[in-house]
Amino acid sequence: MSKPQEAPYGTWESPLSADIFAAGAVSLKEVVVSSNGRIYLLEVRPAESGRGSIVEIGDDGWSHRDILPREYNALTHVHEYGGASFTVKSNTGHVIFSDFESNLVFDLDPATLKAERIIEEDFKNYYADFNAHPTDSRWVLAIKEDHHSSRIEDIENTLVAIDSSTRTVHTIVREADFYAYPRFSPDGRRVSWTQWHHSNMPWHYNELWVADWQEGKVVNSKVVAGQDIKESITQPQWGEDGSLFFVGDRTGFWQLYRLVDNEVRYIHVKGLEEAEFGAPEWCLGSSTYASLSSEKLVAFYNLDGSQKAIIIDVTTGDFTDPAIPIHEVSFNALKRTSPKSFAVIGSTASTPTALYHITLDNPITTRTLKSSISLSFPLTFLSTPQPITYPRTRSGPQSGHAHALFLAPTNPNYTKPPSALPPLIVAVHGGPTGQTGTGLSLRDQYWTTRGYALVQINYVGSSGYGKEYASLLNGQWGVADIADAASAVDYLADKGWIDKSRVGITGLSAGGYATMQALATYPQVFRAGAAESGISDLRALFAETHKFESRYLQRLCFPPDSSVDDRERIIRERSPIHNAERITSPLLILAGKQDKIVPPSQATGLKSRIDEVSKGRVECEVVVYEGEGHIFTRGENVRDSVQRMERWWGRFLLGNRD
């Protein structure tokens, strides 16, 4: 091996090209398992303009084939973030899926690859979160979102049963603002679901309901959790014995529960009382645990910023550690394949997201069924995320601590010049109710292999650390989150890990808003910013955003009992567009032309205002990508966005010229 050469931070040649985001990598979104153990995978492919394709894994565990004809795109518009776009009928093996382009629902025969629609055409109705009756193949439960009205407040969400034999849609539950997780019991005699009302999000408060099923309708409906004790309930699923499991946060942490004989029983996993077995439901259909048998669960829990799998005895709460090296799973990631095996989508600290099949034999076997990408460089290029907890110095005394992941610049082919410190990229996750985990992120490694340090901020309001930590952002959005980002810079500089004079900030969605707001609030800390799908005008967001988040903003922005005048003041203080004169660092803004969550006018409006007040002295560049929504999925656009950021950091953190 050749001797590492000395070169300035940020100039190192990396084995990761931006082309990897255009064609090399796919996004593994959902895993579904049929009643006979057949595994299906939903892939979102940048090389196919972000199309969602359904892949069937062969019996040998190695082969796989596309079963979705190319004219279909198995994604959904529900809640705009989608999720739970397909399922498998247990008695026929057919796949039920939603088509993103037509909003129709289809029944697909994997043997013939023939798809037949099971509803009448109506582009204004969206469907998702399907569950087929275990014995009567006609009936499919789903969430329906009716967009016939152009007014956000008139969009209606209902729980429906689709009769696939007649293509008729029967409304079985209505009146709540939102629904999720419609599920038949294993014998098909009962139905469960969650529901909630504005102004709550599902991670605030919701309810778990159960009813009897009667041929196209439900009767004897009753709430079984979330009414007497206000809590967030997620991932309800029927066990093999007919009991109903769910995750609830009544203790302040998302813990496991079981409904048996109409009684809710806490599954007390001893020693993990402050672990989180659930996460915010941004996408429909999350599944990060599974009932293996009447006695055993497999579950991933989140503690101190990292996830881990355990096998739980549901009667005693005792657990064993199977030593599975997966550090991060999310959304619809885990499904039972047999009493001793399961399929899971996850990533480790050194391998990208992949679909695994794990068998709990002695010894345990882990087989990789399909990876999101094949890496061709040594692990020595990878930077390992280091969890840090640091004082919230920018929020004043007695403000406690915040959490982050620090990734040092890493490239075995290079060494730094004497006494040099690396430039830092501060990354702020979206949500804002969310978390950045410790699984391998190729986007992060793209920067660290080039010689940048990077810190992922899990600011107050992030999930994974309990309800109290998450609630610290209520009324403080645009203040506490960016203060935590600036505090992290202080901490890393005091440690001597970064060059405090060369710090950039970036983020997507709420992270894009934090980027803009941080430049206006801490111009002395951040030398440049790059915002994706970011919010510049809170008033416009209140008026324009989609139904799912239309009341979320009040809780984030306004303290309880705030007056009309207080709210007006807060909107102006925390809208970058009203503080553009304080933005003195260059800002790159990337937006999707079809974004219904944060319309591109948020980007163009801020640029116009910066140009106006700075008289062109502050560089602000806006790129609006055709065919993109809130999160970019088309390969050519993802590649272009990364390349633009690289040039941006090169110019304003390294001093390069175009």
Side-chain angles (χ1 to χ4, degrees):
M1 181 178 178
S2 61
K3 181 180 179 181
Q5 67 182 86
E6 183 180 298
Y9 283 117
T11 67
W12 301 347
E13 184 176 342
S14 169
L16 282 171
S17 162
D19 291 335
I20 202 170
F21 303 110
V26 298
S27 181
L28 308 185
K29 289 294 188 182
E30 303 181 33
V31 61
V32 173
V33 177
S34 68
S35 58
N36 64 357
R38 174 82 63 183
I39 300 170
Y40 295 90
L41 174 67
L42 177 66
E43 290 186 359
V44 176
R45 298 172 175 170
E48 298 179 21
S49 299
R51 172 177 172 263
S53 181
I54 300 173
V55 178
E56 181 185 73
I57 306 299
D59 291 334
D60 56 10
W62 301 106
S63 61
H64 47 80
R65 67 180 181 120
D66 287 7
I67 62 168
L68 188 71
R70 288 295 298 268
E71 63 265 31
Y72 300 114
N73 181 0
L75 299 173
T76 174
H77 292 277
V78 175
H79 294 178
E80 298 302 332
Y81 293 106
S85 60
F86 82 109
T87 192
V88 180
K89 287 185 172 183
S90 59
N91 54 349
T92 66
H94 286 200
V95 173
I96 303 296
F97 72 92
S98 171
D99 177 49
F100 192 77
E101 312 305 331
S102 66
N103 293 326
L104 291 172
V105 182
F106 291 87
D107 181 306
L108 170 68
D109 184 348
T112 64
L113 306 187
K114 182 180 179 180
E116 295 185 356
R117 61 182 173 89
I118 61 172
I119 61 171
E120 298 297 338
E121 292 187 15
D122 190 336
F123 188 73
K124 294 290 186 178
N125 288 329
Y126 307 163
Y127 296 88
D129 214 354
F130 307 105
N131 186 249
H133 194 281
T135 58
D136 189 341
S137 62
R138 290 181 302 159
W139 294 107
V140 178
L141 298 176
I143 297 166
K144 175 184 174 184
E145 193 168 84
D146 186 332
H147 284 256
H148 282 87
S149 173
S150 59
R151 288 161 39 97
I152 292 173
E153 55 268 34
D154 292 333
I155 293 171
E156 185 182 24
N157 293 65
T158 53
L159 202 89
V160 300
I162 300 171
D163 185 340
S164 59
S165 65
T166 61
R167 296 180 179 174
T168 54
V169 178
H170 303 257
T171 300
I172 58 174
V173 185
R174 68 181 346 140
E175 295 181 358
D177 289 314
F178 300 97
Y179 298 91
Y181 295 105
R183 301 291 184 266
F184 283 111
S185 61
D187 60 8
R189 297 171 60 185
R190 290 177 292 170
V191 173
S192 63
W193 69 91
T194 62
Q195 64 181 52
W196 65 98
H197 299 267
H198 281 315
S199 60
N200 292 311
M201 299 298 284
W203 50 85
H204 294 145
Y205 301 115
N206 59 356
E207 297 172 339
L208 175 60
W209 286 71
V210 173
D212 295 327
W213 170 255
Q214 279 190 3
E215 194 72 15
K217 63 182 180 179
V218 293
V219 297
N220 303 321
S221 302
K222 62 180 180 180
V223 59
V224 295
Q227 186 176 65
D228 296 332
I229 301 174
K230 297 297 183 184
E231 62 183 314
S232 167
I233 295 165
T234 182
Q235 298 190 45
Q237 55 179 271
W238 295 94
E240 295 301 304
D241 61 351
S243 60
L244 183 61
F245 294 93
F246 66 93
V247 176
D249 70 351
R250 61 182 65 181
T251 68
F253 296 88
W254 270 307
Q255 296 273 293
L256 290 160
Y257 296 86
R258 186 184 191 188
L259 181 70
V260 182
D261 298 328
N262 296 316
E263 177 189 358
V264 173
R265 301 177 185 177
Y266 175 39
I267 302 175
H268 186 185
V269 185
K270 301 172 184 67
L272 294 178
E273 293 84 357
E274 295 188 359
E276 302 261 55
F277 287 90
E281 295 291 341
W282 285 102
C283 295
L284 292 164
S286 287
S287 178
T288 57
Y289 76 93
S291 170
L292 296 176
S293 67
S294 59
E295 298 86 21
K296 300 291 184 183
L297 289 179
V298 56
F300 277 83
Y301 70 87
N302 188 335
L303 185 65
D304 297 329
S306 184
Q307 292 176 288
K308 194 172 186 178
I310 55 174
I311 309 300
I312 303 169
D313 185 318
V314 299
T315 58
T316 66
D318 295 335
F319 69 91
T320 56
D321 179 359
I324 297 167
I326 296 173
H327 294 166
E328 187 171 5
V329 299
S330 61
F331 302 123
N332 195 353
L334 191 156
K335 295 292 169 63
R336 173 190 185 271
T337 55
S338 80
K340 285 191 173 184
S341 62
F342 59 94
V344 60
I345 300 171
S347 58
T348 75
S350 58
T351 57
T353 302
L355 173 65
Y356 299 94
H357 190 250
I358 296 172
T359 303
L360 301 174
D361 289 329
N362 190 10
I364 292 172
T365 59
T366 301
R367 174 181 288 186
T368 303
L369 302 181
K370 201 168 192 303
S371 180
S372 58
I373 190 169
S374 177
L375 300 182
S376 57
F377 55 84
L379 298 181
T380 52
F381 281 91
L382 299 180
S383 180
T384 301
Q386 176 184 342
I388 59 173
T389 299
Y390 58 94
R392 303 180 63 225
T393 52
R394 298 279 179 161
S395 296
Q398 310 302 318
S399 295
H401 292 76
H403 304 282
L405 300 171
F406 178 72
L407 290 85
T410 304
N411 189 318
N413 294 335
Y414 294 91
T415 184
K416 68 180 181 67
S419 304
L421 292 172
L424 174 69
I425 298 172
V426 177
V428 186
H429 66 67
T433 310
Q435 184 188 28
T436 298
T438 58
L440 179 65
S441 164
L442 291 182
R443 179 73 72 96
D444 290 352
Q445 302 295 328
Y446 186 89
W447 305 116
T448 56
T449 53
R450 283 166 167 74
Y452 291 90
L454 185 139
V455 64
Q456 290 279 3
I457 309 295
N458 284 320
Y459 48 85
V460 295
S462 299
S463 58
Y465 305 95
K467 183 184 285 189
E468 182 179 355
Y469 188 79
S471 68
L472 291 175
L473 193 62
N474 291 345
Q476 292 296 309
W477 191 36
V479 178
D481 46 350
I482 60 172
D484 287 355
S487 295
V489 176
D490 295 339
Y491 176 82
L492 296 172
D494 289 345
K495 286 281 189 181
W497 293 353
I498 57 104
D499 182 347
K500 194 173 182 178
S501 69
R502 298 190 292 164
V503 179
I505 184 168
T506 188
L508 165 70
S509 190
Y513 166 61
T515 297
M516 299 170 178
Q517 183 72 346
L519 292 190
T521 307
Y522 299 104
Q524 76 282 9
V525 175
F526 301 104
R527 191 165 174 176
E532 294 184 63
S533 305
I535 302 141
S536 67
D537 187 342
L538 290 177
R539 188 189 310 283
L541 187 70
F542 274 81
E544 297 172 347
T545 197
H546 60 142
K547 178 186 176 184
F548 182 60
E549 294 182 82
S550 60
R551 307 286 180 85
Y552 179 36
L553 307 173
Q554 285 91 327
R555 188 187 299 249
L556 289 172
C557 294
F558 306 136
D561 304 320
S562 56
S563 67
V564 173
D565 288 343
D566 286 339
R567 294 187 174 205
E568 177 64 25
R569 173 184 54 78
I570 287 169
I571 286 174
R572 292 193 65 85
E573 288 178 351
R574 301 188 199 168
S575 292
I577 200 168
H578 295 305
N579 299 286
E581 71 281 356
R582 290 158 50 190
I583 297 177
T584 57
S585 298
L587 174 61
L588 171 66
I589 310 175
L590 308 174
K593 189 171 183 179
Q594 281 69 46
D595 190 348
K596 295 182 180 179
I597 298 170
V598 180
S601 57
Q602 294 272 354
T604 55
L606 180 58
K607 173 176 169 50
S608 296
R609 183 61 180 157
I610 290 175
D611 289 347
E612 177 187 353
V613 298
S614 75
K615 302 188 185 314
R617 289 189 295 269
V618 176
E619 185 162 353
C620 181
E621 179 182 337
V622 171
V623 181
V624 178
Y625 291 109
E626 182 69 46
E628 295 289 6
H630 193 57
I631 299 172
F632 308 155
T633 59
R634 294 173 179 257
E636 64 275 17
N637 296 333
V638 177
R639 175 177 53 204
D640 184 74
S641 68
V642 172
Q643 290 172 334
R644 286 179 184 272
M645 282 192 192
E646 184 174 4
R647 292 193 296 269
W648 201 257
W649 300 138
R651 288 179 61 198
F652 299 112
L653 299 188
L654 305 182
N656 296 343
R657 296 181 180 180
D658 282 343

